[in-house]
Amino acid sequence: MPILGTIIKKLIETKDKVSDFLERDPVEDQNKVLKELLAQAKDTAFGRHYHFDEILESENPAERFAQTVPFFDYNKINDEWWYRLHDGESDVTWPGSPSYFALSSGTTGGTSKRIPITDEMIQSIRRAGIRQVEALANFDLDPEFFEKEIMMLGSSTDLIDKGSHQEGEISGISASNIPFWFRSYYKPGMEISKIDDWDTRVQKIVEQAGDWDIGALSGIPSWMELMLQKVIEYHDLETIHDIWPNLQVYTSGGVAFEPYEKSFNKLLAHPIIVIDTYLASEGFIALQSRKETQSMKLLTNNGLYFEFVPFESQYIQSDGSLVPDAPSIGLSDVEQGKDYVLLLSSVSGLWRYMIGDTIQFTDVDRYEIRITGRTKFFLNVVGSQLSVNKMNDAIRHLEDKYDLKIPEFTVAAVKIDGSYYHHWYLGTDTPEFPVDELTDTLDEYLQSHNKNYGVARSKALHGVRVNLVPKARFYDWSERNKKKGGQVKMEKVMDEEKFQEWEAFCESQ
């Protein structure tokens, strides 16, 4: 009998029930978080500039805050405020100086952003991680599961020492701050996790895989799938369950899991529980708390204040940023089924910060969301208004209709002989499939499921082109851009210049 696992499970179930009983109204939680953030930062340079003391004394701090503080994306807040942190100043947008900077390019090929990570943010991420563990009580797992090890495939924990602070990707920063009591469960362990080169680190994991009893996986789907394939090939296995028979849970994050579901499941002997999380460089935003849905519950009382801008073309500029006068709303006014651009204010000194993701509320009573895409991955050159969510749906339609696995894709609006085309590259292990048939099906599906796309196809959007390439081509592209593993995500939408580089890269392989 798994005595330790039974004890742990009972403790988690009891804690989860107590948490549910004590849980406050999320809207009230958000009002309290905003006031706490403003009070803590009112004496910083940012807080004095935007009169946080007056906002706090106003009748409606949330409304006054939205009227007083403008939207910020990374470039704007870095150019106007965070550059002072890099010059050694303190008390800029948050009291003191950050202990870490999270390096984030978001997608391959971008210049790394440096997001401040304060000690308060580290505590926020830890609390969210504990809440994720507590939520496992809702997934009907056997007591044995709670004695198994967890494989967390992130970026290197060998952070760059800058004297006053350290730098690295958020998954590496988080893993380097794992509580001591959790380290016996954590794999691949601190020594392997410090290896900077992704291929070398994965090779070490592959070689030692047989020494571990993994019950859960955690990481971005594309890189997790690649690692599992290498373990299977190295040990000459049929599925990953041949070496990790007790594997029951996969905690996904960073991108939608659906595009990878078919190819991922081929690596398993039987289905496992997939749990979505939303940990970004800017904070731990949401997590899946129940098995009946793949949606995630916003963490409304954990040092993050959320605002939402309707994701409509008139509010989005060509570079993916917001127009200055775009309307924003708070948690109390969101509508179910509507896409929003997510804004964050946080204990790391982010203020009305656009992280670039779009989300949709799937249950406004539970405040559950799903990530629907990126503002920069919004294909609207000729009015087609294609979000990543709609692109993913179209790809899944192709997979289901033709029994294909297409875990990766990218698309661009390109001009050929004066006319616009949507040019798709689909990553699949069946690159010999008839392209013309796929092209017609893709185009027909998008026209029938997206009114704006249908209108564009009857006017400025002249046609669709499709290329099939091995899915490994996408991973090679990441490696070519020195952005392999960790938090790296492939661009789903490219501009014409980047797309020309991509095409040249594909032709050279």
Side-chain angles (χ1 to χ4, degrees):
M1 178 180 179
I3 297 175
L4 179 59
T6 301
I7 293 172
I8 294 173
K9 183 177 182 181
K10 289 292 184 184
L11 288 173
I12 290 174
E13 288 173 342
T14 302
K15 179 71 163 54
D16 191 57
K17 289 177 182 177
V18 171
S19 298
D20 286 344
F21 178 75
L22 296 177
E23 188 171 8
R24 297 174 52 183
D25 177 11
V27 173
E28 287 302 314
D29 281 341
Q30 281 286 274
N31 290 331
K32 181 180 178 182
V33 167
L34 176 60
K35 291 176 182 178
E36 290 174 345
L37 292 174
L38 294 170
Q40 287 179 276
K42 64 184 177 64
D43 294 322
T44 64
F46 191 96
R48 293 193 301 270
H49 182 82
Y50 288 107
H51 307 290
F52 279 9
D53 53 349
E54 296 178 12
I55 295 175
L56 279 164
E57 293 174 1
S58 65
E59 184 175 338
N60 189 331
E63 183 178 299
R64 183 73 173 272
F65 177 64
Q67 293 171 346
T68 305
V69 181
F71 301 132
F72 286 93
D73 59 13
Y74 175 78
N75 290 331
K76 179 176 172 62
I77 200 169
N78 191 61
D79 292 346
E80 295 181 11
W81 296 97
W82 286 349
Y83 78 92
R84 295 162 64 172
L85 293 174
H86 307 319
D87 291 341
E89 288 189 43
S90 58
D91 302 322
V92 179
T93 60
W94 190 256
S97 299
S99 300
Y100 303 91
F101 280 89
L103 304 179
S104 171
S105 61
T107 53
T108 58
T111 302
S112 287
K113 302 174 183 177
R114 300 172 71 207
I115 312 294
I117 303 293
T118 61
D119 292 339
E120 292 92 336
M121 179 55 72
I122 293 295
Q123 292 302 314
S124 171
I125 293 172
R126 279 188 176 182
R127 286 194 299 269
I130 291 172
R131 290 184 65 176
Q132 181 69 80
V133 173
E134 292 170 358
L136 291 174
N138 302 323
F139 289 88
D140 297 331
L141 293 162
D142 296 330
E144 289 90 344
F145 170 80
F146 297 93
E147 296 183 347
K148 305 306 176 184
E149 295 159 328
I150 300 176
M151 169 63 67
M152 299 173 66
L153 187 65
S155 53
S156 173
T157 59
D158 188 19
L159 307 178
I160 304 168
D161 191 347
K162 294 289 187 176
S164 62
H165 66 272
Q166 293 181 301
E167 297 182 353
E169 290 187 14
I170 190 62
S171 57
I173 293 172
S174 301
S176 67
N177 282 277
I178 286 175
F180 73 92
W181 54 265
F182 183 71
R183 294 194 176 189
S184 61
Y185 295 93
Y186 166 59
K187 298 301 175 192
M190 301 307 292
E191 183 176 345
I192 293 177
S193 296
K194 287 182 178 180
I195 299 173
D196 185 56
D197 180 73
W198 190 84
D199 288 314
T200 304
R201 188 167 2 117
V202 168
Q203 184 59 33
K204 289 290 185 182
I205 292 172
V206 167
E207 293 170 359
Q208 296 191 28
D211 299 333
W212 303 323
D213 189 4
I214 302 297
L217 305 170
S218 177
I220 287 180
S222 54
W223 303 116
M224 181 62 70
E225 183 178 319
L226 199 56
M227 184 273 287
L228 295 179
Q229 287 175 335
K230 289 181 178 295
V231 172
I232 291 170
E233 291 169 5
Y234 182 87
H235 294 276
D236 194 22
L237 311 172
E238 291 293 326
T239 73
I240 197 64
H241 279 111
D242 293 335
I243 197 167
W244 294 334
N246 295 305
L247 176 61
Q248 298 185 59
V249 172
Y250 170 45
T251 302
S252 178
V255 296
F257 177 70
E258 287 88 350
Y260 303 92
E261 186 173 6
K262 266 201 166 185
S263 56
F264 194 93
N265 286 342
K266 290 289 185 180
L267 307 177
L268 311 174
H270 53 77
I272 62 177
I273 297 170
V274 178
I275 301 175
D276 279 334
T277 61
Y278 191 179
L279 170 61
S281 299
E282 295 82 3
F284 206 138
I285 295 166
L287 54 85
Q288 184 182 341
S289 62
R290 58 194 184 98
K291 66 179 180 179
E292 296 83 6
T293 179
Q294 289 297 118
S295 297
M296 299 172 287
K297 186 178 182 64
L298 274 178
L299 297 175
T300 56
N301 59 347
N302 195 35
L304 300 178
Y305 176 71
F306 306 110
E307 295 174 88
F308 311 92
V309 175
F311 185 44
E312 299 174 10
S313 58
Q314 65 266 35
Y315 304 139
I316 311 296
Q317 303 189 81
S318 59
D319 63 354
S321 62
L322 292 170
V323 299
D325 60 348
S328 64
I329 59 175
L331 193 62
S332 60
D333 297 318
V334 296
E335 298 177 31
Q336 191 162 310
K338 188 171 184 177
D339 282 2
Y340 295 99
V341 178
L342 179 64
L343 303 178
L344 293 183
S345 300
S346 80
V347 291
S348 271
L350 280 65
W351 300 104
R352 309 200 76 209
Y353 183 92
M354 188 180 77
I355 67 174
D357 289 333
T358 60
I359 61 98
Q360 182 181 110
F361 282 84
T362 57
D363 189 323
V364 293
D365 295 324
R366 292 186 172 94
Y367 297 100
E368 290 178 338
I369 65 167
R370 59 179 301 204
I371 303 170
T372 55
R374 299 279 295 172
T375 57
K376 289 186 178 181
F377 293 171
F378 183 50
L379 193 56
N380 194 36
V381 174
V382 290
S384 56
Q385 296 193 27
L386 275 184
S387 67
V388 171
N389 192 36
K390 292 172 181 175
M391 297 177 200
N392 284 336
D393 288 344
I395 296 301
R396 292 203 74 183
H397 176 69
L398 295 182
E399 289 186 318
D400 292 341
K401 182 170 183 176
Y402 298 112
D403 194 25
L404 291 172
K405 297 187 292 292
I406 311 173
E408 301 288 355
F409 71 86
T410 193
V411 61
V414 298
K415 208 168 189 179
I416 303 173
D417 297 329
S419 299
Y420 274 105
Y421 291 77
H422 279 183
H423 195 161
W424 294 72
Y425 272 76
L426 308 183
T428 176
D429 287 334
T430 317
E432 68 279 0
F433 196 89
V435 173
D436 290 344
E437 188 173 352
L438 280 179
T439 303
D440 291 341
T441 302
L442 177 63
D443 189 31
E444 290 167 4
Y445 178 88
L446 289 172
Q447 289 191 57
S448 63
H449 287 76
N450 183 350
K451 179 181 178 181
N452 292 310
Y453 179 88
V455 171
R457 280 290 285 115
S458 68
K459 295 180 180 179
L461 184 58
H462 191 72
V464 176
R465 295 191 173 186
V466 171
N467 283 70
L468 298 182
V469 296
K471 67 178 182 180
R473 193 68 44 82
F474 289 82
Y475 308 138
D476 294 339
W477 170 259
S478 297
E479 185 172 21
R480 177 254 201 188
N481 286 282
K482 299 180 180 179
K483 296 290 181 182
K484 193 172 185 180
Q487 300 295 110
V488 177
K489 313 170 193 72
M490 179 68 192
E491 304 106 311
K492 299 301 184 186
V493 174
M494 294 184 181
D495 59 28
E496 277 200 83
E497 182 178 353
K498 176 59 72 65
F499 194 72
Q500 288 174 2
E501 293 181 26
W502 162 254
E503 284 199 290
F505 173 79
C506 289
E507 290 171 3
S508 69
Q509 300 302 299

